[in-house]
Amino acid sequence: MNREWELLHTPGPTPIPPSVERAMIQPMIGHRGQKCKELLENIAPRLKPIFGTSGDVLVLSSSGTSALEAAVVNTTSPGDEVVVVVAGAFGDRFAKICETYELKIHRIDVEWGSAVEVAAVEEQIQAHPNVKAVFVTHCETSTGAMHPVEQIAQKVHQDSEALVIVDGVSSIGGTPIDMDGAGIDLLVSGSQKAMMLPAGLAFVAVSDQAWSIINDNPRPRFYLDLRSFKKSLDAGQTPFTPALSLLFGLQEVLDLIEGEGLEQVHERHRVMREMTRAACRGLNLPLFVSDEAASPTVTSIRPQTFEAESFRKVANQEFGLMTAGGQKHLKGEIFRIGHMGYSRPANVLQYVSILEIVLRRLGHEFEPGSGTAAAQDAYLQATKELD
Ligand SMILES: *Cc1c(COP(=O)(O)O)cnc(C)c1O
């Protein structure tokens, strides 16, 4: 298969818009010069609406996990009690980071594929009044389920002083979030999901309440010390050499998002979710996540009549369609289709049609064309107001 024919529909990395690719090959500049200062000062305020905050959004040159780790090391010290919601591989990663940094973890294990109940978090907060922070994933990419992070943040703040720290790596840029309104304290993300860039940038949005905790926190830290990122940002700088090519790309991403309109970007993701799920129903393909919890950025399917891995293999070999498998105990049980970032309804129609051919090859029974028709209906339904 010609490499450039591949259709990348994994839930990260995601395809890069051509104009972003072009922006990233600009000649290098010095990172202490005026041009870089202008670039950083241009980017900083434009990231804020995407994170739903009027506060700082710090940009680190590292993958998304570094932002998760930065959130942990900057807000906690050894022995602190924390609550971690685990409903998939990324909640589990948050728990592992907390363990590594010697925190006392109250873990809320939720069945993978489900969303946590706000009441379950409330229960833990009431049972452990010394909890310093609650860690929760917004979109659990390993299952495609969204946790109600805004409601959780509101509840936690009613009941306690704990910070609410949210992993938005696969949701930011694809879903609305009201960080300030909900009282989320730290909201972290990465570049290679809905932000349409290669991996290599991490984002940390910080509330005012969180800054006072971060500034007073005695835990030693160096590269991930958010205080130095903040100090540099205020001077139009970064503490260390930034991934400049990715920042050139980010500036173009912001142009694209603003050009389309942030609300329209979110709406496009919602439409892609509806189309994908309608197609699965039309094709008798069991959806792994309920309608209420389904993410607009990734859809998981749990096939009963064929092997998930056979589907992935055939779709890739014949059409270059790249999807993701399950992680941990879901390996071989589900496959995941990413529809975020540089993805649009036209791409959904394409992969649904491919899905139908592969399903026929695998002997899955359905009325040919029923997935495509359902996706088309869902599109028309979702865009009715536009007529
Ligand atoms: C992809 C992802 C991460 C990890 O990001 P890396 O860039 O691989 O370090 C963390 N959390 C979620 C929810 C993700 O989807």
Side-chain angles (χ1 to χ4, degrees):
M1 173 78 56
N2 178 335
R3 270 285 281 112
E4 299 202 343
W5 286 356
E6 280 183 344
L7 306 167
L8 184 60
H9 279 285
T10 56
T14 62
I16 313 296
S19 66
V20 175
E21 286 179 339
R22 290 193 297 274
M24 289 190 298
I25 57 169
Q26 286 177 66
M28 203 35 60
I29 56 175
H31 65 283
R32 296 294 175 223
Q34 184 60 25
K35 277 210 177 72
C36 183
K37 188 163 185 280
E38 282 166 14
L39 177 66
L40 293 167
E41 286 176 348
N42 176 275
I43 288 169
R46 301 168 75 195
L47 281 171
K48 295 176 186 209
I50 300 173
F51 285 77
T53 185
S54 57
D56 300 306
V57 183
L58 309 170
V59 184
L60 284 52
S61 290
S62 36
S63 88
T65 306
S66 73
L68 271 59
E69 184 157 344
V72 174
V73 296
N74 282 276
T75 60
T76 64
S77 6
D80 279 355
E81 288 182 52
V82 297
V83 168
V84 186
V85 175
V86 181
F90 292 105
D92 191 56
R93 183 172 300 178
F94 242 159
K96 286 208 173 82
I97 298 171
C98 290
E99 226 168 79
T100 305
Y101 285 99
E102 302 175 328
L103 304 178
K104 186 161 182 284
I105 303 171
H106 304 292
R107 193 177 154 117
I108 305 177
D109 275 296
V110 180
E111 194 187 343
W112 288 32
S114 299
V116 71
E117 304 269 349
V118 178
V121 179
E122 191 181 7
E123 210 171 274
Q124 286 297 314
I125 288 288
Q126 278 165 358
H128 308 288
N130 291 325
V131 161
K132 294 280 170 55
V134 175
F135 293 89
V136 56
T137 316
H138 192 198
C139 169
E140 176 50 76
T141 324
S142 65
T143 66
M146 303 274 292
H147 292 303
V149 293
E150 290 171 339
Q151 290 90 313
I152 289 171
Q154 280 161 353
K155 198 67 192 159
V156 168
H157 290 313
Q158 271 169 25
D159 295 356
S160 79
E161 300 278 288
L163 297 177
V164 176
I165 300 179
V166 172
D167 172 353
V169 177
S170 64
S171 63
I172 296 302
T175 56
I177 187 153
D178 186 4
M179 176 176 172
D180 289 356
I184 293 168
D185 294 287
L186 268 82
L187 176 56
V188 308
S189 197
S191 51
Q192 80 274 28
K193 307 278 167 88
M195 292 298 283
M196 305 187 276
L197 287 162
L201 294 180
F203 306 99
V204 186
V206 186
S207 76
D208 290 340
Q209 191 198 350
W211 274 125
S212 65
I213 305 274
I214 293 169
N215 289 330
D216 295 342
N217 182 13
R219 189 199 288 277
R221 63 260 198 205
F222 188 79
Y223 191 75
L224 294 179
D225 190 342
L226 295 179
R227 292 170 298 188
S228 41
F229 283 90
K230 163 78 172 148
K231 196 163 156 246
S232 295
L233 180 67
D234 289 342
Q237 299 249 331
T238 53
F240 314 107
T241 314
L244 276 157
S245 303
L246 295 175
L247 294 180
F248 293 145
L250 176 57
Q251 191 174 36
E252 174 63 21
V253 163
L254 295 169
D255 282 351
L256 291 177
I257 291 176
E258 289 166 9
E260 183 177 355
L262 186 56
E263 265 178 48
Q264 286 76 10
V265 170
H266 295 154
E267 177 61 11
R268 169 165 52 81
H269 284 82
R270 195 186 68 77
V271 172
M272 291 193 289
R273 172 187 65 198
E274 297 310 312
M275 291 172 72
T276 305
R277 291 175 68 81
C280 291
R281 287 196 195 92
L283 295 169
N284 306 322
L285 284 179
L287 291 160
F288 187 57
V289 172
S290 70
D291 286 346
E292 297 70 42
S295 165
T297 58
V298 52
T299 298
S300 295
I301 293 146
R302 182 175 221 163
Q304 303 296 326
T305 60
F306 58 90
E307 296 293 326
E309 290 305 302
S310 310
F311 168 81
R312 292 186 56 225
K313 194 165 159 216
V314 176
N316 185 246
Q317 279 175 351
E318 283 198 39
F319 294 98
L321 177 65
M322 313 237 271
T323 55
Q327 290 173 274
K328 308 269 177 80
H329 66 272
L330 293 177
K331 202 171 168 54
E333 294 291 314
I334 61 170
F335 63 94
R336 295 174 294 147
I337 303 180
H339 34 81
M340 66 178 108
Y342 186 56
S343 238
R344 51 198 190 284
N347 301 114
V348 179
L349 294 172
Q350 184 183 44
Y351 67 64
V352 168
S353 186
I354 293 172
L355 203 68
E356 292 204 5
I357 295 182
V358 178
L359 294 182
R360 288 168 75 171
R361 287 240 193 272
L362 297 175
H364 179 73
E365 282 181 27
F366 66 98
E367 179 79 26
S370 56
T372 313
Q376 291 171 349
D377 284 347
Y379 176 82
L380 290 169
Q381 187 64 32
T383 55
K384 215 162 56 191
E385 311 84 78
L386 301 180
D387 292 347

CSV table of all heavy atoms in Angstrom, one decimal, residues 80-115:
chain,number,residue,atom,x,y,z
A,80,ASP,N,0.4,12.5,50.4
A,80,ASP,CA,-0.9,13.2,50.2
A,80,ASP,C,-1.9,12.1,49.8
A,80,ASP,O,-1.6,11.2,49.0
A,80,ASP,CB,-0.8,14.2,49.1
A,80,ASP,CG,-0.2,15.5,49.6
A,80,ASP,OD1,0.0,15.6,50.9
A,80,ASP,OD2,0.0,16.5,48.8
A,81,GLU,N,-3.1,12.3,50.2
A,81,GLU,CA,-4.2,11.5,49.8
A,81,GLU,C,-4.9,12.0,48.5
A,81,GLU,O,-5.1,13.2,48.5
A,81,GLU,CB,-5.3,11.4,50.9
A,81,GLU,CG,-4.9,10.6,52.1
A,81,GLU,CD,-6.0,10.5,53.1
A,81,GLU,OE1,-7.1,10.1,52.8
A,81,GLU,OE2,-5.8,10.8,54.3
A,82,VAL,N,-5.1,11.2,47.6
A,82,VAL,CA,-5.8,11.6,46.3
A,82,VAL,C,-6.8,10.5,45.9
A,82,VAL,O,-6.7,9.4,46.3
A,82,VAL,CB,-4.7,11.8,45.2
A,82,VAL,CG1,-3.7,12.9,45.5
A,82,VAL,CG2,-4.0,10.5,44.9
A,83,VAL,N,-7.8,11.0,45.1
A,83,VAL,CA,-8.8,10.1,44.6
A,83,VAL,C,-8.5,10.0,43.1
A,83,VAL,O,-8.2,11.0,42.4
A,83,VAL,CB,-10.2,10.6,44.8
A,83,VAL,CG1,-11.2,9.9,43.9
A,83,VAL,CG2,-10.6,10.6,46.2
A,84,VAL,N,-8.4,8.8,42.5
A,84,VAL,CA,-8.2,8.6,41.1
A,84,VAL,C,-9.3,7.7,40.5
A,84,VAL,O,-9.6,6.7,41.0
A,84,VAL,CB,-6.8,7.9,40.8
A,84,VAL,CG1,-6.6,7.9,39.3
A,84,VAL,CG2,-5.7,8.6,41.5
A,85,VAL,N,-9.9,8.2,39.5
A,85,VAL,CA,-11.0,7.5,38.8
A,85,VAL,C,-10.3,6.6,37.7
A,85,VAL,O,-9.6,7.2,36.8
A,85,VAL,CB,-12.0,8.4,38.1
A,85,VAL,CG1,-13.0,7.6,37.3
A,85,VAL,CG2,-12.7,9.2,39.2
A,86,VAL,N,-10.5,5.3,37.7
A,86,VAL,CA,-9.9,4.4,36.8
A,86,VAL,C,-11.0,3.6,36.0
A,86,VAL,O,-11.7,2.8,36.6
A,86,VAL,CB,-8.9,3.5,37.4
A,86,VAL,CG1,-8.3,2.6,36.4
A,86,VAL,CG2,-7.8,4.2,38.2
A,87,ALA,N,-11.1,4.0,34.7
A,87,ALA,CA,-12.1,3.3,33.9
A,87,ALA,C,-11.5,2.9,32.6
A,87,ALA,O,-12.2,2.7,31.6
A,87,ALA,CB,-13.4,4.1,33.7
A,88,GLY,N,-10.2,2.8,32.6
A,88,GLY,CA,-9.5,2.4,31.3
A,88,GLY,C,-8.0,2.6,31.5
A,88,GLY,O,-7.5,3.0,32.6
A,89,ALA,N,-7.3,2.5,30.4
A,89,ALA,CA,-5.8,2.5,30.4
A,89,ALA,C,-5.3,3.9,30.9
A,89,ALA,O,-4.2,4.0,31.5
A,89,ALA,CB,-5.3,2.2,29.1
A,90,PHE,N,-6.0,5.0,30.5
A,90,PHE,CA,-5.4,6.3,30.9
A,90,PHE,C,-5.7,6.7,32.3
A,90,PHE,O,-4.9,7.4,33.0
A,90,PHE,CB,-5.9,7.3,29.9
A,90,PHE,CG,-5.2,7.0,28.5
A,90,PHE,CD1,-5.9,6.5,27.5
A,90,PHE,CD2,-3.8,7.2,28.4
A,90,PHE,CE1,-5.3,6.2,26.3
A,90,PHE,CE2,-3.2,6.9,27.2
A,90,PHE,CZ,-3.9,6.4,26.1
A,91,GLY,N,-6.9,6.3,32.9
A,91,GLY,CA,-7.1,6.5,34.3
A,91,GLY,C,-6.1,5.7,35.1
A,91,GLY,O,-5.5,6.1,36.1
A,92,ASP,N,-5.8,4.5,34.6
A,92,ASP,CA,-4.8,3.6,35.2
A,92,ASP,C,-3.4,4.3,35.2
A,92,ASP,O,-2.6,4.2,36.1
A,92,ASP,CB,-4.8,2.3,34.5
A,92,ASP,CG,-4.0,1.3,35.3
A,92,ASP,OD1,-4.3,1.0,36.5
A,92,ASP,OD2,-3.0,0.7,34.7
A,93,ARG,N,-3.1,5.0,34.1
A,93,ARG,CA,-1.8,5.7,34.0
A,93,ARG,C,-1.7,6.8,35.0
A,93,ARG,O,-0.7,6.9,35.7
A,93,ARG,CB,-1.6,6.2,32.6
A,93,ARG,CG,-0.3,6.9,32.4
A,93,ARG,CD,0.0,7.3,31.0
A,93,ARG,NE,0.0,6.1,30.1
A,93,ARG,CZ,0.2,6.2,28.8
A,93,ARG,NH1,0.4,7.4,28.2
A,93,ARG,NH2,0.2,5.1,28.0
A,94,PHE,N,-2.8,7.5,35.2
A,94,PHE,CA,-2.9,8.6,36.2
A,94,PHE,C,-2.6,8.0,37.6
A,94,PHE,O,-1.8,8.5,38.4
A,94,PHE,CB,-4.2,9.3,36.3
A,94,PHE,CG,-4.2,10.7,35.9
A,94,PHE,CD1,-5.4,11.4,35.5
A,94,PHE,CD2,-3.1,11.5,36.1
A,94,PHE,CE1,-5.4,12.7,35.2
A,94,PHE,CE2,-3.1,12.9,35.8
A,94,PHE,CZ,-4.2,13.5,35.4
A,95,ALA,N,-3.2,6.8,37.9
A,95,ALA,CA,-3.0,6.1,39.2
A,95,ALA,C,-1.5,5.7,39.3
A,95,ALA,O,-0.9,5.8,40.4
A,95,ALA,CB,-3.9,4.9,39.3
A,96,LYS,N,-0.9,5.2,38.2
A,96,LYS,CA,0.5,4.7,38.3
A,96,LYS,C,1.4,5.9,38.6
A,96,LYS,O,2.4,5.8,39.3
A,96,LYS,CB,0.9,4.1,37.0
A,96,LYS,CG,0.3,2.7,36.8
A,96,LYS,CD,1.2,1.8,35.9
A,96,LYS,CE,0.7,0.4,35.8
A,96,LYS,NZ,-0.4,0.2,34.8
A,97,ILE,N,1.1,7.1,38.0
A,97,ILE,CA,2.0,8.2,38.2
A,97,ILE,C,1.8,8.6,39.7
A,97,ILE,O,2.8,8.9,40.4
A,97,ILE,CB,1.6,9.4,37.3
A,97,ILE,CG1,1.8,9.0,35.8
A,97,ILE,CG2,2.4,10.7,37.6
A,97,ILE,CD1,1.2,10.0,34.8
A,98,CYS,N,0.6,8.6,40.2
A,98,CYS,CA,0.4,9.0,41.6
A,98,CYS,C,1.1,8.0,42.5
A,98,CYS,O,1.7,8.4,43.5
A,98,CYS,CB,-1.1,9.0,41.9
A,98,CYS,SG,-2.0,10.4,41.2
A,99,GLU,N,1.1,6.7,42.1
A,99,GLU,CA,1.8,5.7,42.9
A,99,GLU,C,3.3,6.0,42.9
A,99,GLU,O,4.0,5.9,44.0
A,99,GLU,CB,1.6,4.4,42.2
A,99,GLU,CG,1.2,3.2,43.1
A,99,GLU,CD,0.7,2.1,42.2
A,99,GLU,OE1,1.5,1.4,41.7
A,99,GLU,OE2,-0.6,2.0,42.1
A,100,THR,N,3.8,6.3,41.7
A,100,THR,CA,5.3,6.5,41.6
A,100,THR,C,5.7,7.7,42.5
A,100,THR,O,6.8,7.7,43.1
A,100,THR,CB,5.6,6.9,40.1
A,100,THR,OG1,5.1,5.8,39.3
A,100,THR,CG2,7.0,7.1,39.9
A,101,TYR,N,4.8,8.7,42.6
A,101,TYR,CA,5.2,9.9,43.4
A,101,TYR,C,4.7,9.7,44.9
A,101,TYR,O,4.5,10.7,45.6
A,101,TYR,CB,4.7,11.1,42.8
A,101,TYR,CG,5.6,11.5,41.6
A,101,TYR,CD1,5.2,11.2,40.3
A,101,TYR,CD2,6.8,12.1,41.8
A,101,TYR,CE1,6.0,11.4,39.2
A,101,TYR,CE2,7.7,12.3,40.7
A,101,TYR,CZ,7.3,12.0,39.5
A,101,TYR,OH,8.1,12.3,38.4
A,102,GLU,N,4.5,8.5,45.3
A,102,GLU,CA,4.2,8.1,46.7
A,102,GLU,C,3.0,8.8,47.3
A,102,GLU,O,3.1,9.3,48.4
A,102,GLU,CB,5.5,8.5,47.5
A,102,GLU,CG,6.7,7.7,47.0
A,102,GLU,CD,8.0,8.1,47.7
A,102,GLU,OE1,8.2,9.2,48.1
A,102,GLU,OE2,8.9,7.2,47.8
A,103,LEU,N,1.9,8.8,46.5
A,103,LEU,CA,0.7,9.3,47.1
A,103,LEU,C,-0.2,8.2,47.6
A,103,LEU,O,0.0,7.0,47.2
A,103,LEU,CB,-0.1,10.1,46.0
A,103,LEU,CG,0.7,11.2,45.3
A,103,LEU,CD1,-0.1,11.9,44.2
A,103,LEU,CD2,1.2,12.3,46.4
A,104,LYS,N,-1.0,8.5,48.5
A,104,LYS,CA,-2.0,7.5,49.1
A,104,LYS,C,-3.2,7.6,48.2
A,104,LYS,O,-3.9,8.6,48.3
A,104,LYS,CB,-2.3,7.9,50.6
A,104,LYS,CG,-3.1,6.8,51.3
A,104,LYS,CD,-2.9,7.0,52.8
A,104,LYS,CE,-3.7,5.9,53.5
A,104,LYS,NZ,-5.2,6.2,53.5
A,105,ILE,N,-3.5,6.5,47.5
A,105,ILE,CA,-4.5,6.6,46.5
A,105,ILE,C,-5.8,5.9,46.9
A,105,ILE,O,-5.8,4.8,47.4
A,105,ILE,CB,-4.0,5.9,45.2
A,105,ILE,CG1,-2.8,6.5,44.7
A,105,ILE,CG2,-5.1,5.9,44.1
A,105,ILE,CD1,-2.1,5.7,43.6
A,106,HIS,N,-6.9,6.7,46.8
A,106,HIS,CA,-8.2,6.1,46.9
A,106,HIS,C,-8.7,5.9,45.5
A,106,HIS,O,-9.1,6.9,44.8
A,106,HIS,CB,-9.2,7.0,47.7
A,106,HIS,CG,-8.6,7.3,49.1
A,106,HIS,ND1,-8.5,6.3,50.1
A,106,HIS,CD2,-8.1,8.4,49.6
A,106,HIS,CE1,-7.9,6.9,51.1
A,106,HIS,NE2,-7.7,8.2,50.9
A,107,ARG,N,-8.7,4.7,45.0
A,107,ARG,CA,-9.0,4.4,43.6
A,107,ARG,C,-10.5,4.1,43.4
A,107,ARG,O,-11.0,3.3,44.2
A,107,ARG,CB,-8.1,3.2,43.3
A,107,ARG,CG,-8.0,2.9,41.8
A,107,ARG,CD,-7.0,1.7,41.7
A,107,ARG,NE,-7.3,1.0,40.5
A,107,ARG,CZ,-6.4,0.9,39.5
A,107,ARG,NH1,-5.2,1.4,39.6
A,107,ARG,NH2,-6.8,0.3,38.4
A,108,ILE,N,-11.1,4.7,42.4
A,108,ILE,CA,-12.5,4.4,42.1
A,108,ILE,C,-12.4,3.6,40.8
A,108,ILE,O,-12.2,4.1,39.7
A,108,ILE,CB,-13.4,5.6,41.9
A,108,ILE,CG1,-13.3,6.5,43.1
A,108,ILE,CG2,-14.8,5.2,41.6
A,108,ILE,CD1,-14.1,7.8,43.0
A,109,ASP,N,-12.6,2.3,40.9
A,109,ASP,CA,-12.5,1.4,39.7
A,109,ASP,C,-13.9,1.4,39.1
A,109,ASP,O,-14.9,1.0,39.8
A,109,ASP,CB,-12.0,0.0,40.0
A,109,ASP,CG,-10.5,0.0,40.0
A,109,ASP,OD1,-9.9,0.2,38.9
A,109,ASP,OD2,-9.9,-0.2,41.0
A,110,VAL,N,-14.0,1.7,37.8
A,110,VAL,CA,-15.3,1.7,37.1
A,110,VAL,C,-15.1,0.7,36.0
A,110,VAL,O,-14.0,0.6,35.4
A,110,VAL,CB,-15.6,3.1,36.5
A,110,VAL,CG1,-16.9,3.2,35.8
A,110,VAL,CG2,-15.5,4.2,37.6
A,111,GLU,N,-16.2,0.0,35.7
A,111,GLU,CA,-16.1,-1.0,34.6
A,111,GLU,C,-15.7,-0.2,33.3
A,111,GLU,O,-16.2,0.8,33.0
A,111,GLU,CB,-17.5,-1.6,34.4
A,111,GLU,CG,-17.5,-2.8,33.5
A,111,GLU,CD,-18.8,-3.3,33.2
A,111,GLU,OE1,-19.8,-3.0,33.8
A,111,GLU,OE2,-18.9,-4.1,32.2
A,112,TRP,N,-14.7,-0.9,32.6
A,112,TRP,CA,-14.2,-0.2,31.4
A,112,TRP,C,-15.3,-0.1,30.4
A,112,TRP,O,-16.0,-1.1,30.1
A,112,TRP,CB,-13.0,-1.0,30.9
A,112,TRP,CG,-11.8,-0.9,31.7
A,112,TRP,CD1,-11.7,-0.7,33.1
A,112,TRP,CD2,-10.4,-0.9,31.2
A,112,TRP,NE1,-10.4,-0.6,33.5
A,112,TRP,CE2,-9.6,-0.8,32.4
A,112,TRP,CE3,-9.8,-1.1,30.0
A,112,TRP,CZ2,-8.2,-0.8,32.3
A,112,TRP,CZ3,-8.4,-1.1,29.9
A,112,TRP,CH2,-7.6,-0.9,31.0
A,113,GLY,N,-15.5,1.1,29.8
A,113,GLY,CA,-16.6,1.3,28.9
A,113,GLY,C,-17.7,2.1,29.5
A,113,GLY,O,-18.5,2.7,28.8
A,114,SER,N,-17.7,2.2,30.8
A,114,SER,CA,-18.7,3.0,31.5
A,114,SER,C,-18.1,4.3,32.0
A,114,SER,O,-16.9,4.5,32.1
A,114,SER,CB,-19.2,2.3,32.7
A,114,SER,OG,-19.8,1.1,32.3
A,115,ALA,N,-19.0,5.3,32.4
A,115,ALA,CA,-18.6,6.5,33.0
A,115,ALA,C,-18.8,6.4,34.5
A,115,ALA,O,-19.7,5.7,34.9
A,115,ALA,CB,-19.4,7.7,32.4
